[in-house]
Amino acid sequence: MRSEMESIIYNKIEIVRGDITKLNVDAIVNAANTSLLGGGGVDGAIHRAAGHELLDYCRKLNGCRTGESKITPGYKLPANFVIHTVGPVWRGGAQNEPMLLQSCYKTSLTLAVENKIKTIAFPAISTGIYSYPVYDAAKIAVRTTLDFLQNNSSIEKVIFVCFDERTFHVYKEVIEEL
Ligand code: ADP
Protein backbone atom coordinates (compact mmCIF):
# COMPACT_ATOMS: atom_id res chain seq x y z
CA MET A 1 0.00 0.00 0.00
CA ARG A 2 1.18 3.48 -0.87
CA SER A 3 2.06 5.82 1.96
CA GLU A 4 0.20 9.10 2.34
CA MET A 5 3.28 10.98 1.15
CA GLU A 6 3.55 8.90 -2.02
CA SER A 7 -0.12 9.38 -2.69
CA ILE A 8 0.20 13.18 -2.41
CA ILE A 9 3.23 13.20 -4.70
CA TYR A 10 1.42 11.00 -7.21
CA ASN A 11 -1.97 12.72 -7.13
CA LYS A 12 -1.37 16.33 -6.19
CA ILE A 13 2.10 17.37 -7.35
CA GLU A 14 3.10 17.96 -10.94
CA ILE A 15 6.34 19.15 -12.51
CA VAL A 16 5.94 20.77 -15.91
CA ARG A 17 8.16 22.65 -18.30
CA GLY A 18 6.77 25.87 -19.69
CA ASP A 19 5.57 29.40 -19.23
CA ILE A 20 3.56 29.95 -16.03
CA THR A 21 1.54 32.80 -17.58
CA LYS A 22 -0.19 30.33 -19.90
CA LEU A 23 -1.50 28.01 -17.21
CA ASN A 24 -5.17 27.54 -16.60
CA VAL A 25 -5.11 27.22 -12.82
CA ASP A 26 -6.86 29.06 -10.00
CA ALA A 27 -3.66 30.88 -9.02
CA ILE A 28 -0.15 31.39 -10.24
CA VAL A 29 2.61 32.51 -7.91
CA ASN A 30 4.84 35.41 -8.88
CA ALA A 31 8.48 35.59 -7.80
CA ALA A 32 8.16 39.31 -7.11
CA ASN A 33 10.43 41.87 -5.45
CA THR A 34 9.64 43.89 -2.33
CA SER A 35 8.22 46.82 -4.32
CA LEU A 36 5.59 44.60 -6.01
CA LEU A 37 5.86 46.99 -8.94
CA GLY A 38 7.18 44.51 -11.49
CA GLY A 39 10.67 43.51 -12.52
CA GLY A 40 12.52 41.07 -14.74
CA GLY A 41 12.13 37.33 -15.19
CA VAL A 42 8.81 35.73 -14.34
CA ASP A 43 7.60 38.94 -12.66
CA GLY A 44 7.89 40.90 -15.91
CA ALA A 45 6.22 38.11 -17.87
CA ILE A 46 3.28 37.98 -15.43
CA HIS A 47 2.75 41.76 -15.51
CA ARG A 48 2.92 41.82 -19.32
CA ALA A 49 0.38 39.01 -19.62
CA ALA A 50 -1.98 40.32 -16.90
CA GLY A 51 -2.06 43.89 -18.24
CA HIS A 52 -1.70 47.31 -16.61
CA GLU A 53 -4.56 46.74 -14.16
CA LEU A 54 -2.32 44.40 -12.20
CA LEU A 55 0.27 47.13 -11.70
CA ASP A 56 -2.45 49.61 -10.70
CA TYR A 57 -3.67 47.14 -8.05
CA CYS A 58 -0.14 46.36 -6.83
CA ARG A 59 0.59 50.09 -6.33
CA LYS A 60 -1.98 50.09 -3.51
CA LEU A 61 -0.42 47.17 -1.64
CA ASN A 62 2.56 48.99 -0.10
CA GLY A 63 5.04 46.36 -1.17
CA CYS A 64 5.74 43.01 0.47
CA ARG A 65 8.47 41.79 2.81
CA THR A 66 10.85 39.00 1.88
CA GLY A 67 9.29 35.63 2.74
CA GLU A 68 5.77 37.06 2.73
CA SER A 69 2.99 36.93 0.11
CA LYS A 70 0.09 39.04 -1.14
CA ILE A 71 -2.79 38.11 -3.42
CA THR A 72 -4.27 40.03 -6.39
CA PRO A 73 -6.68 39.27 -9.21
CA GLY A 74 -5.19 37.75 -12.36
CA TYR A 75 -6.83 40.19 -14.79
CA LYS A 76 -6.00 39.09 -18.35
CA LEU A 77 -4.23 35.91 -17.25
CA PRO A 78 -6.01 32.57 -17.54
CA ALA A 79 -5.42 32.27 -13.76
CA ASN A 80 -7.99 33.95 -11.50
CA PHE A 81 -5.41 35.07 -8.96
CA VAL A 82 -1.75 35.96 -8.70
CA ILE A 83 -0.04 35.32 -5.38
CA HIS A 84 3.00 37.57 -5.22
CA THR A 85 5.76 36.31 -2.97
CA VAL A 86 9.22 37.76 -2.39
CA GLY A 87 12.01 35.22 -2.34
CA PRO A 88 15.36 35.87 -0.67
CA VAL A 89 18.36 37.04 -2.66
CA TRP A 90 21.05 34.34 -2.33
CA ARG A 91 23.94 35.78 -0.28
CA GLY A 92 25.81 32.55 0.43
CA GLY A 93 23.20 30.78 2.55
CA ALA A 94 23.93 32.13 6.01
CA GLN A 95 21.52 35.06 5.81
CA ASN A 96 18.38 33.06 6.65
CA GLU A 97 17.78 32.28 2.98
CA PRO A 98 16.39 28.72 3.50
CA MET A 99 13.88 29.86 6.14
CA LEU A 100 12.78 32.82 4.01
CA LEU A 101 12.33 30.66 0.92
CA GLN A 102 10.36 28.11 2.93
CA SER A 103 8.19 30.95 4.17
CA CYS A 104 7.41 31.99 0.56
CA TYR A 105 5.87 28.57 -0.09
CA LYS A 106 4.07 28.43 3.27
CA THR A 107 2.56 31.91 3.05
CA SER A 108 1.55 31.42 -0.61
CA LEU A 109 -0.16 28.11 0.16
CA THR A 110 -1.86 29.62 3.21
CA LEU A 111 -3.26 32.45 1.07
CA ALA A 112 -4.41 29.84 -1.43
CA VAL A 113 -6.36 27.95 1.23
CA GLU A 114 -7.87 31.19 2.59
CA ASN A 115 -9.07 32.07 -0.93
CA LYS A 116 -10.45 28.60 -1.70
CA ILE A 117 -7.86 28.07 -4.42
CA LYS A 118 -7.68 24.43 -5.48
CA THR A 119 -5.03 24.55 -8.20
CA ILE A 120 -1.84 26.59 -7.93
CA ALA A 121 1.36 26.89 -9.94
CA PHE A 122 4.76 27.99 -8.62
CA PRO A 123 7.83 29.12 -10.54
CA ALA A 124 11.26 28.21 -9.12
CA ILE A 125 11.29 31.17 -6.71
CA SER A 126 14.66 32.92 -6.18
CA THR A 127 16.56 30.73 -8.65
CA GLY A 128 16.79 33.31 -11.44
CA ILE A 129 17.95 36.87 -10.84
CA TYR A 130 18.15 36.12 -7.07
CA SER A 131 20.71 33.31 -7.70
CA TYR A 132 19.49 30.70 -5.17
CA PRO A 133 21.11 27.34 -6.10
CA VAL A 134 18.45 25.41 -8.01
CA TYR A 135 18.84 22.03 -6.28
CA ASP A 136 18.63 23.52 -2.77
CA ALA A 137 15.69 25.72 -3.75
CA ALA A 138 13.83 22.84 -5.39
CA LYS A 139 14.29 20.72 -2.26
CA ILE A 140 12.76 23.46 -0.13
CA ALA A 141 9.93 23.98 -2.65
CA VAL A 142 8.97 20.31 -2.79
CA ARG A 143 9.44 19.47 0.90
CA THR A 144 7.61 22.55 2.19
CA THR A 145 4.73 21.92 -0.20
CA LEU A 146 4.49 18.25 0.71
CA ASP A 147 4.48 19.09 4.37
CA PHE A 148 1.74 21.67 3.82
CA LEU A 149 -0.42 19.31 1.75
CA GLN A 150 -0.15 16.65 4.45
CA ASN A 151 -1.87 19.06 6.83
CA ASN A 152 -4.31 20.78 4.42
CA SER A 153 -6.43 18.71 2.11
CA SER A 154 -8.29 21.53 0.31
CA ILE A 155 -5.61 22.13 -2.34
CA GLU A 156 -6.00 19.61 -5.14
CA LYS A 157 -3.03 20.34 -7.38
CA VAL A 158 0.34 22.08 -7.04
CA ILE A 159 2.26 22.53 -10.27
CA PHE A 160 5.96 23.39 -10.25
CA VAL A 161 6.60 25.21 -13.50
CA CYS A 162 10.14 24.98 -14.81
CA PHE A 163 11.13 27.46 -17.47
CA ASP A 164 14.25 25.62 -18.55
CA GLU A 165 15.27 22.01 -19.03
CA ARG A 166 17.85 22.02 -16.24
CA THR A 167 15.39 23.22 -13.61
CA PHE A 168 12.90 20.61 -14.80
CA HIS A 169 15.45 17.81 -14.32
CA VAL A 170 16.45 19.08 -10.91
CA TYR A 171 12.83 19.02 -9.70
CA LYS A 172 12.42 15.48 -11.05
CA GLU A 173 15.56 14.42 -9.21
CA VAL A 174 14.37 16.00 -5.95
CA ILE A 175 11.04 14.15 -6.19
CA GLU A 176 12.81 10.86 -6.89
CA GLU A 177 15.06 11.34 -3.87
CA LEU A 178 12.18 11.82 -1.41
P1 ADP B 1 13.93 35.56 -8.80
O1 ADP B 1 14.19 37.04 -8.83
O2 ADP B 1 13.05 35.16 -7.63
O3 ADP B 1 15.17 34.76 -8.91
P2 ADP B 1 13.27 35.10 -11.63
O4 ADP B 1 12.03 35.49 -12.33
O5 ADP B 1 14.54 35.78 -12.03
O6 ADP B 1 12.98 35.29 -10.06
O7 ADP B 1 13.49 33.54 -11.77
C1 ADP B 1 12.75 32.56 -11.08
C2 ADP B 1 12.54 31.38 -12.01
O8 ADP B 1 11.46 31.68 -12.91
C3 ADP B 1 13.73 31.02 -12.90
O9 ADP B 1 13.84 29.60 -12.96
C4 ADP B 1 13.31 31.57 -14.26
O10 ADP B 1 13.92 30.84 -15.33
C5 ADP B 1 11.84 31.29 -14.21
N1 ADP B 1 10.98 31.99 -15.18
C6 ADP B 1 11.21 33.11 -15.90
N2 ADP B 1 10.15 33.39 -16.68
C7 ADP B 1 9.21 32.42 -16.45
C8 ADP B 1 7.90 32.12 -16.95
N3 ADP B 1 7.33 32.90 -17.86
N4 ADP B 1 7.26 31.01 -16.47
C9 ADP B 1 7.84 30.22 -15.54
N5 ADP B 1 9.06 30.45 -15.03
C10 ADP B 1 9.74 31.52 -15.48
Side-chain angles (χ1 to χ4, degrees):
M1 200 178 78
R2 246 197 234 122
S3 71
E4 191 205 354
M5 187 183 94
E6 282 172 321
S7 157
I8 291 172
I9 295 168
Y10 190 79
N11 294 305
K12 295 196 171 181
I13 291 183
E14 236 177 89
I15 317 286
V16 305
R17 250 206 87 177
D19 177 351
I20 202 166
T21 65
K22 311 281 189 222
L23 291 195
N24 207 336
V25 285
D26 295 336
I28 62 172
V29 176
N30 181 16
N33 56 52
T34 53
S35 77
L36 293 185
L37 300 180
V42 71
D43 195 3
I46 288 173
H47 275 274
R48 279 193 298 279
H52 69 88
E53 283 169 299
L54 179 60
L55 185 58
D56 295 342
Y57 192 103
C58 284
R59 281 206 178 92
K60 300 180 201 142
L61 296 178
N62 278 318
C64 183
R65 293 201 189 96
T66 304
E68 295 183 4
S69 307
K70 291 192 177 177
I71 190 163
T72 71
Y75 297 106
K76 291 189 183 135
L77 290 162
N80 293 328
F81 297 98
V82 180
I83 295 174
H84 305 260
T85 192
V86 183
V89 176
W90 179 257
R91 295 195 172 92
Q95 308 290 317
N96 219 15
E97 294 96 328
M99 212 274 287
L100 290 166
L101 187 60
Q102 190 182 59
S103 173
C104 287
Y105 287 92
K106 276 194 202 162
T107 56
S108 294
L109 290 164
T110 301
L111 272 178
V113 170
E114 286 168 2
N115 288 277
K116 303 190 171 14
I117 285 159
K118 308 256 178 245
T119 55
I120 179 169
F122 282 95
I125 299 163
S126 284
T127 67
I129 298 159
Y130 284 1
S131 305
Y132 208 112
V134 178
Y135 178 78
D136 295 344
K139 238 163 59 177
I140 289 172
V142 170
R143 287 187 179 173
T144 307
T145 299
L146 243 176
D147 197 51
F148 190 93
L149 296 180
Q150 282 177 318
N151 295 298
N152 289 272
S153 56
S154 68
I155 296 179
E156 291 167 4
K157 187 72 79 182
V158 177
I159 304 174
F160 293 109
V161 186
C162 306
F163 203 51
D164 56 83
E165 191 68 28
R166 181 176 158 249
T167 303
F168 179 74
H169 284 298
V170 170
Y171 269 82
K172 290 270 179 205
E173 195 186 333
V174 164
I175 293 265
E176 278 158 21
E177 284 168 1
L178 282 171

